[in-house]
Amino acid sequence: MADNADITFSKPLTGLIREDRSPLTLKEYRAGGGYRGLEKAAKKMSPDEVLEEVKASNLRGRGGAGFPAGLKWSFMPRDDKAPRPRYLVCNSDEMEPGTFKDRLLMEGNPHQLIEGMACTAYALGAEIAFIFLRAEYSVAAANISAALKEAYDAGYLGSNILGSDFSLELHLHTSAGRYICGEETALINSLEGKRANPRAKPPFPQVSGLFGQPTVVNNCETLCNVGHIIDKGADWFKSLGLGSDSGTKIMGVTGNVKRTGLWELPMGTPIRELFEGCAGGMADGYSLRGFLPGGASTDFLLPEHLDLAFEYDVIGKAGSRMGTASLILLDDKTCPVAMVRNLTHFFAQESCGWCTPCRDGLPWSEQILDRIERGQGSMEDLDTLAWHTQFMAPGNTFCALAPGAAEPIQSALKYFREDFERHIKEGTCPWH
Amino acid sequence: MANHRLPNHDIISLSAVERREIEAECRHYPKRQAAAIEGLKVVQKHRGWVSDGSIQALAKFLEMPVGELEGVATFYNLIFRQPVGKHVIMVCDSVCCWVKGSDPLTQHIGNRLGIKPGQTSEDGLFTLLPIVCLGDCDRAPTLMIDGQQHGHVDADKLDQLLLELEPEIQLMEVSDG
Ligand SMILES: Cc1cc2nc3c(=O)[nH]c(=O)nc-3n(C[C@H](O)[C@H](O)[C@H](O)COP(=O)(O)O)c2cc1C
Ligand code: SF4
Ligand code: FES
């Protein structure tokens, strides 16, 4: 039995990961308590008990939307008559600018992901699982492949896992680019060897997903938590959070701070502690004007929001989203209009082209932003931009790419309007 | 375009190694077509890019329509449907790297090699491409050369990387320092 001095009690996800990220071997992972969760699940618990434990833990999806994992799993038909095969897919596409957390988990401790996926597949009665990995993560791919081999050899994957009647095949799929692949139904199309256009919902993937079979898609960090929850219990997981959310969260900071990086902190940690305590505050000569709290597709917040607790509902009430919990900072030496143009260029380029507000609205918005940034914009341009963000609002498009793209634009218009107007009035970029 | 890899005629059959590697991927899925992306990557790994002839051969091997595979190949930006240089340099142009100077860095590379983003150098040695966030944002600005990532890249480090790859090349003089 582990005791509370065990680092995985306070930092379950990263406690064992080495500074240089060289991957833990199976032996090292086991010495740190690894695969205890899977042992417990496969030997002592029924699939329903595993699902109930995760439900009780209030684990929310770490892919950006915060949807409760146990609830998502419960939508999958799991009785004796339910279709087979059923699939579990780990979303490791991680292409949202500013987000680099899943990479750490996969490079540094791939067995943790495998254990989390095996426990999840056990709960779902899924017999086939995939890790959908973005193309550029070649170190993660090599580390996962090595860990998969070890796990098969040790009987944590394959037929009759740990002597039970549960069997699981787990494959690594490496992708070939395009941010839209991270959207879960686009990801399913991509896994089928097709263009990554999102699918209409309903039917939801839990009912009809990969190859038309019941499928659960979860984020990599979400799945990495599962083995720990089974091993240490839902109450322990809930007790980690400082506010209403459970567990820890890998949080990141990028931009002109003293130290950029990733830190695993309790859910509900004040943003200021991440920004000042971990990242050391702004680098000399820079001051903070605002930040995107959860990756490129979230609304700007202001320095006055630094004392908010970093958790889903609090950030939602403040008008943004926790997203992937990686702060992208806007400093006083950076032009906000140019920054939003850069973000919009990304989304315009990555649009899959399926629906009009996104396919046409994003390039149009980028052109307007470019014009304003070069000092050639007009006041009407600001209205046109705002109009586009409304067209891209949730419900008007096929997937969440366009609503996400609208978030930095609409919030910049709200908080940095003066800067837009200065470009127009002065006929040039004040930062040039 | 000058390119040492461009064959005179388009190859229309997959090699035994390619077949073996793609077949191994097919076994993971209930339908052969599902291995399309991995198949394209296998072909590209061996040939540097994916030609029309390769598309035809692969489509046949995966038992799927040529047009559909073509549609898949053009969708994914890391599948090259044109020949590329011996080395492919991809500079991250997403927000965290942009804040840390990816634009001047891209310009510096272009000046050194005498090419613009999207182009291949005359000698066929280098192709320069922009790429989205490489998931390495805390080491911005970042780039990837031949699949290997490098962080905290500045002009000096870049020159050094180029010379390590091709010790013989003459870097063009640049005004950006
Ligand atoms: C354009 C777009 C890109 C996305 N990219 C990712 C991604 O890279 N990784 C991820 O886990 N979720 C991504 N998502 C969210 C997924 O659709 C899905 O909600 C998530 O994988 C569910 O996992 P979770 O419930 O564990 O968070 C993306 C969504 C959209 C609309
Ligand atoms: S919102 Fe954009 S990315 Fe999503 S389906 Fe529509 S066009 Fe494609
Ligand atoms: S923005 Fe360049 S690596 Fe993420």
Side-chain angles (χ1 to χ4, degrees):
Chain A
M1 277 305 289
D3 56 57
N4 283 321
D6 186 336
I7 182 78
T8 64
F9 272 79
S10 55
K11 286 192 181 168
L13 296 174
T14 61
L16 296 174
I17 295 180
R18 286 185 275 257
E19 192 66 29
D20 70 358
R21 295 192 183 186
S22 56
L24 266 68
T25 61
L26 176 60
K27 204 169 151 212
E28 290 168 329
Y29 180 58
R30 289 200 43 166
Y35 287 109
R36 276 197 312 238
L38 181 60
E39 299 249 1
K40 188 167 161 188
K43 291 183 178 164
K44 300 198 186 118
M45 295 169 82
S46 70
D48 281 340
E49 284 168 341
V50 172
L51 196 149
E52 287 309 318
E53 193 72 26
V54 172
K55 241 187 188 171
S57 77
N58 192 29
L59 169 65
R60 297 177 67 171
R62 305 306 200 222
F67 194 82
L71 187 62
K72 180 187 273 191
W73 302 355
S74 70
F75 298 146
M76 186 183 232
R78 296 176 305 120
D79 55 41
D80 291 344
K81 289 190 248 37
R84 290 200 169 277
R86 299 197 285 271
Y87 293 103
L88 168 67
V89 181
C90 168
N91 189 343
S92 294
D93 197 48
E94 190 155 80
M95 290 184 70
E96 169 104 353
T99 306
F100 46 106
K101 64 184 180 70
D102 297 338
R103 173 186 195 139
L104 169 70
L105 292 169
M106 293 183 287
E107 288 185 356
N109 195 358
H111 279 292
Q112 176 171 254
L113 174 59
I114 294 170
E115 180 181 10
M117 289 183 73
C119 292
T120 306
Y122 180 75
L124 296 169
E127 52 263 80
I128 304 176
F130 291 94
I131 298 172
F132 187 100
L133 183 68
R134 67 173 296 182
E136 294 86 347
Y137 282 4
S138 51
V139 177
N143 297 359
I144 290 169
S145 298
L148 283 174
K149 185 166 184 315
E150 282 183 319
Y152 271 107
D153 289 348
Y156 294 120
L157 291 175
S159 306
N160 301 101
I161 291 171
L162 299 170
S164 70
D165 51 15
F166 164 58
S167 301
L168 178 67
E169 262 179 57
L170 175 46
H171 303 297
L172 174 65
H173 170 98
T174 63
S175 185
R178 295 305 292 268
Y179 169 62
I180 189 61
C181 290
E183 197 283 337
E184 63 181 13
T185 58
L187 182 150
I188 288 171
N189 273 334
S190 188
L191 258 183
E192 291 185 9
K194 299 177 179 156
R195 292 168 75 96
N197 294 116
R199 293 180 179 176
K201 293 192 238 186
F204 286 91
Q206 292 95 316
V207 177
S208 175
L210 188 58
F211 303 109
Q213 299 296 113
T215 304
V216 159
V217 181
N218 273 125
N219 169 257
C220 171
E221 184 183 351
T222 312
L223 292 166
C224 284
N225 277 298
V226 177
H228 296 286
I229 292 171
I230 301 308
D231 175 37
K232 305 176 185 72
D235 288 337
W236 158 80
F237 192 71
K238 284 204 292 204
S239 75
L240 287 175
L242 303 181
S244 58
D245 279 328
S246 303
T248 60
K249 179 81 193 75
I250 304 183
M251 302 178 183
V253 186
T254 66
N256 286 306
V257 277
K258 292 214 173 67
R259 286 180 297 278
T260 55
L262 294 169
W263 293 272
E264 181 180 3
L265 297 169
M267 272 287 189
T269 298
I271 302 176
R272 189 181 296 283
E273 201 168 311
L274 170 67
F275 169 65
E276 286 175 2
C278 300
M282 296 307 284
D284 292 339
Y286 292 91
S287 61
L288 179 68
R289 292 203 60 206
F291 58 95
L292 305 168
S297 65
T298 58
D299 287 87
F300 278 99
L301 291 177
L302 297 176
E304 69 193 52
H305 295 114
L306 282 175
D307 291 310
L308 293 179
F310 214 5
E311 59 179 37
Y312 293 104
D313 297 348
V314 172
I315 304 302
K317 276 199 202 100
S320 187
R321 289 189 306 118
M322 179 150 185
T324 56
S326 36
L327 309 184
I328 303 173
L329 305 183
L330 169 66
D331 59 68
D332 61 332
K333 304 277 193 298
T334 302
C335 170
V337 179
M339 180 164 168
V340 175
R341 176 183 62 183
N342 174 281
L343 292 162
T344 307
H345 170 75
F346 168 82
F347 292 113
Q349 175 183 298
E350 296 301 315
S351 165
C352 82
W354 199 251
C355 44
T356 312
C358 180
R359 180 191 58 238
D360 293 346
L362 280 168
W364 189 343
S365 302
E366 186 190 348
Q367 274 172 26
I368 296 173
L369 286 160
D370 186 54
R371 194 156 65 220
I372 298 173
E373 158 61 14
R374 286 187 289 109
Q376 292 165 7
S378 66
M379 288 303 193
E380 290 82 71
D381 281 338
L382 299 181
D383 297 333
T384 315
L385 262 186
W387 178 77
H388 277 300
T389 63
Q390 282 156 23
F391 268 109
M392 290 188 263
N396 294 344
T397 59
F398 215 65
C399 87
L401 185 142
E407 290 179 23
I409 306 176
Q410 71 198 15
S411 51
L413 284 172
K414 180 166 77 180
Y415 290 134
F416 309 117
R417 194 171 184 96
E418 261 178 46
D419 298 312
F420 283 80
E421 291 180 354
R422 272 187 70 194
H423 279 78
I424 295 165
K425 287 185 193 138
E426 296 172 19
T428 181
C429 172
W431 276 266
H432 272 166
Chain B
M1 196 200 303
N3 192 298
H4 63 289
R5 288 195 174 195
L6 186 61
N8 298 330
H9 58 92
D10 207 0
I11 298 153
I12 46 148
S13 62
L14 300 174
S15 71
V17 180
E18 284 169 325
R19 284 166 175 272
R20 187 159 18 89
E21 289 180 11
I22 300 164
E23 195 56 49
E25 296 297 337
C26 287
R27 282 198 286 274
H28 297 166
Y29 310 97
K31 290 186 182 143
R32 295 181 70 76
Q33 150 165 19
I37 291 150
E38 278 123 338
L40 290 163
K41 288 175 71 168
V42 168
V43 169
Q44 182 161 300
K45 183 179 82 185
H46 291 288
R47 299 171 196 252
W49 66 294
V50 180
S51 68
D52 291 347
S54 304
I55 293 268
Q56 281 179 10
L58 182 60
K60 199 167 149 205
F61 190 67
L62 295 175
E63 295 159 15
M64 69 187 284
V66 174
E68 199 174 339
L69 184 61
E70 167 76 28
V72 172
T74 49
F75 187 89
Y76 296 92
N77 61 301
L78 294 173
I79 302 299
F80 303 140
R81 287 290 279 113
Q82 283 177 27
V84 291
K86 181 175 167 198
H87 306 290
V88 179
I89 306 177
M90 297 177 139
V91 187
C92 171
D93 67 358
S94 291
V95 64
C96 311
C97 292
W98 173 81
V99 167
K100 296 279 181 91
S102 59
D103 280 352
L105 181 66
T106 306
Q107 207 163 15
H108 175 84
I109 304 171
N111 290 345
R112 279 295 198 213
L113 301 173
I115 47 174
K116 292 202 168 63
Q119 295 180 338
T120 298
S121 58
E122 272 297 306
D123 53 11
L125 286 180
F126 294 99
T127 298
L128 177 60
L129 295 171
I131 190 152
V132 298
C133 176
L134 290 166
D136 205 9
C137 322
D138 55 339
R139 303 197 304 145
T142 69
L143 50 76
M144 195 164 80
I145 305 181
D146 301 339
Q148 223 195 328
Q149 295 196 6
H150 304 272
H152 297 304
V153 182
D154 56 17
D156 288 343
K157 182 161 172 183
L158 188 274
D159 290 350
Q160 211 182 314
L161 287 170
L162 293 179
L163 289 169
E164 274 166 27
L165 285 173
E166 292 293 332
E168 305 289 303
I169 54 163
Q170 290 286 317
L171 293 176
M172 297 191 190
E173 288 300 320
V174 292
S175 51
D176 66 34

